[in-house]
Amino acid sequence: MEFLKYLLIGVSVSLDELAVSTVKGVQVKHIRRVDPWITGLYFAVFQGVMLIFGFFGSSLFSKGSSAVTEWIADGLLMLIGANMVREAFSGDDDNKDLLAKMDVRSMSMLALTMSLDALAVGVSPALGHSLDIWWAALSAALVSLAITVPAMFIGHRLGHKVGAKGGAFGGAILILLGLFELLQYYKVF
C-alpha cells in the first residue's frame, strides 16, 4: 500500500509534464534521440529536489505560499502558451520559444516552472502527514522521467504531421492546462 501512495504522489506532481513534454516535442525542430532523455532528467531532478525543498523549507512557508506557487506555476504555463500561439501566427520562425530550446537556461526555467507544484506538495508532509519524503521524491522523479521521455517522442512525431501551426495548438493546450489547474486549485470544479 505504501508503494501505491508514493506512486500516486509521483503521478500527481508529474502529470502536467505529460502535456508540456508533448508540446516540447512538437516545438523542437530537430530532435536528437538524447533530447527527450535530457528533458526527462531535468524534469525528474527538479521534481524530486523541489519536493525535498518544500519538505525541509516548510518553516519558511505560510499557508498562503501554496497559492503563490500555484499562481506562479500556472501563470508561467499560460504565458509560455500565449507566446507559442503568438509565434505560430507571426511567421517568426527563429525558434525562440522556451519550449523549443534545449540549452541549460531554457531547460532549467521550464523544469522549475513544472516543479513548483512539487514544492507545495513537499510542504504537506512536513505539516504532519505521514510520508517518507525521500521515497516521495524518488517516486516523483522516476514517474516524471517515465512520462516525459515517451511524451516528447510522441509530440515530435505529431509535430511533423500538424506542421508549423502545431505550436499554436500546443500553446492553446498550455494556456488551458494553466487555467484548469488554477481553477482546480480554487475548487471551481
Side-chain angles (χ1 to χ4, degrees):
M1 197 60 160
E2 290 292 305
F3 172 76
L4 183 61
K5 177 169 69 172
Y6 294 117
L7 181 64
L8 289 174
I9 288 169
V11 169
S12 71
V13 297
S14 300
L15 267 183
D16 51 349
E17 292 173 358
L18 177 65
V20 172
S21 299
T22 304
V23 173
K24 184 166 183 64
V26 169
Q27 290 295 101
V28 175
K29 294 209 183 286
H30 304 289
I31 195 169
R32 303 169 297 168
R33 286 192 182 272
V34 72
D35 288 343
W37 290 97
I38 291 170
T39 302
L41 286 172
Y42 266 96
F43 285 174
V45 167
F46 272 78
Q47 287 287 5
V49 168
M50 291 299 265
L51 261 169
I52 293 168
F53 279 177
F55 181 78
F56 289 110
S58 64
S59 62
L60 303 174
F61 292 102
S62 66
K63 186 174 175 131
S65 68
S66 179
V68 171
T69 59
E70 193 70 31
W71 273 97
I72 291 170
D74 297 338
L76 286 173
L77 268 181
M78 290 186 278
L79 283 173
I80 291 168
N83 188 48
M84 287 173 62
V85 171
R86 182 193 58 80
E87 285 184 358
F89 290 110
S90 72
D92 182 17
D93 197 25
D94 290 340
N95 211 12
K96 293 180 182 173
D97 185 54
L98 179 67
L99 284 168
K101 294 182 178 180
M102 292 297 299
D103 61 279
V104 172
R105 182 180 166 271
S106 298
M107 290 301 302
S108 297
M109 288 292 295
L110 186 60
L112 179 64
T113 301
M114 301 290 22
S115 64
L116 285 175
D117 56 343
L119 179 72
V121 170
V123 172
S124 176
L127 298 177
H129 299 94
S130 70
L131 188 68
D132 183 337
I133 194 63
W134 302 107
W135 281 112
L138 180 62
S139 172
L142 292 176
V143 169
S144 179
L145 184 64
I147 285 174
T148 301
V149 173
M152 196 166 161
F153 277 121
I154 290 167
H156 189 65
R157 289 186 189 262
L158 289 174
H160 288 297
K161 293 187 189 324
V162 297
K165 300 305 178 202
F169 180 70
I173 289 173
L174 291 184
I175 292 168
L176 291 173
L177 178 65
L179 188 60
F180 174 77
E181 288 192 8
L182 200 56
L183 292 173
Q184 192 175 22
Y185 176 80
Y186 285 106
K187 296 178 178 40
V188 173
F189 54 85

